[in-house]
Amino acid sequence: SNHLKLIDYYFGKGSFKSNIRNELNTFATSNKKARMWKFYFMVTGQGGYSTNKLEAFLLARSDNNFEHVYHLAREGDVEAMFLSGFAIKNGLDISDYGAGNYLIEEAVKNEFGPALHYFGIQRIRERKFNDAKYYLEKTYTAGYHTSQLQIAQLYENGWGVEKDELKSLKIYSELADRENSNAMVKLSEVFRNGTLGTEINIEISDN
């Protein structure tokens, strides 16, 4: 569907699009899955949205949006598994918290890119860096290039891999060339401070 193609762009499949707020809002006027993606981005403060959990919860609970997507998940819809699993893990249905983990794990088993990426990020937060690298590389293999940003961080810091600043810089540069806004910000900081083996270059940093 068109909304999922937009999500693919956010996660770097085919193209990068870091701010999808206006287009997703349009899809969300008539699509319950798109509304649950809006919930995801409002909870995480990504995709051009500001973090607003209260508004996100009101959205998910209105018009049976969550219930509809949860029903689809129970019928085997992989996208719906991730969306409802994420919602449950973030407190939308505390009576069934264990189902949140199960649904996301099922989405991961089906190699749904955003679920793989989510798993990788969670493993970084848990400092399980070898697991993080595994899931982030699977995300990249599935065609979602945004995971490379976190892989670069692993090499930059030596988390679960041998520290390699040159490799990290190369990945950031490749992502910046593909107009990944996070990588562009990172490169600006690198050249402003002369890190990752570079020399301070304010001209490059400002560009």
Side-chain angles (χ1 to χ4, degrees):
S1 65
N2 288 332
H3 84 271
L4 193 51
K5 188 172 182 179
L6 181 65
I7 301 303
D8 282 347
Y9 284 163
Y10 175 79
F11 286 101
K13 189 170 185 178
S15 178
F16 274 119
K17 195 161 195 167
S18 58
N19 189 329
I20 60 171
R21 185 173 183 270
N22 290 339
E23 289 160 285
L24 186 57
N25 283 346
T26 299
F27 288 125
T29 59
S30 59
N31 185 301
K32 292 182 186 295
K33 280 186 182 177
R35 289 172 193 164
M36 291 308 295
W37 276 114
K38 186 174 175 180
F39 171 89
Y40 171 87
F41 289 115
M42 290 171 74
V43 168
T44 60
Q46 300 172 354
Y49 290 89
S50 299
T51 303
N52 190 330
K53 291 188 177 182
L54 175 59
E55 189 175 334
F57 274 53
L58 291 173
L59 171 67
R61 283 302 187 192
S62 67
D63 199 27
N64 292 319
N65 291 318
F66 169 71
E67 288 77 7
H68 173 79
V69 173
Y70 195 12
H71 174 74
L72 293 178
R74 292 193 294 268
E75 291 188 335
D77 184 307
V78 177
E79 179 191 5
M81 286 178 184
F82 174 66
L83 289 170
S84 54
F86 175 84
I88 292 169
K89 276 182 65 66
N90 280 275
L92 196 62
D93 187 354
I94 57 174
S95 67
D96 202 11
Y97 185 81
N101 288 324
Y102 170 77
L103 288 167
I104 293 177
E105 287 169 5
E106 287 299 301
V108 167
K109 288 178 185 176
N110 283 276
E111 300 195 350
F112 183 59
L116 289 168
H117 185 258
Y118 174 83
F119 244 44
I121 298 296
Q122 291 300 107
R123 295 305 175 267
I124 289 177
R125 289 173 179 166
E126 295 165 2
R127 303 191 70 79
K128 297 177 180 177
F129 298 124
N130 288 329
D131 288 347
K133 184 172 182 287
Y134 171 79
Y135 287 111
L136 291 169
E137 286 184 340
K138 281 185 75 71
T139 311
Y140 179 69
T141 301
Y144 295 85
H145 292 265
T146 192
S147 64
Q148 287 294 86
L149 191 70
Q150 285 74 38
I151 291 174
Q153 291 172 353
L154 296 182
Y155 282 107
E156 179 182 355
N157 295 287
W159 292 339
V161 295
E162 185 176 344
K163 188 170 182 175
D164 190 334
E165 291 186 339
L166 183 61
K167 187 165 188 174
S168 177
L169 179 62
K170 183 173 183 288
I171 295 172
Y172 286 132
S173 297
E174 289 172 351
L175 289 173
D177 286 343
R178 298 192 65 211
E179 299 185 355
N180 180 288
S181 60
N182 291 324
M184 290 177 180
V185 170
K186 177 64 180 183
L187 278 184
S188 177
E189 294 174 354
V190 165
F191 284 105
R192 184 180 302 115
N193 299 311
T195 56
L196 298 184
T198 67
E199 295 181 358
I200 292 176
N201 191 319
I202 301 301
E203 184 177 351
I204 293 178
S205 174
D206 289 344
N207 290 330

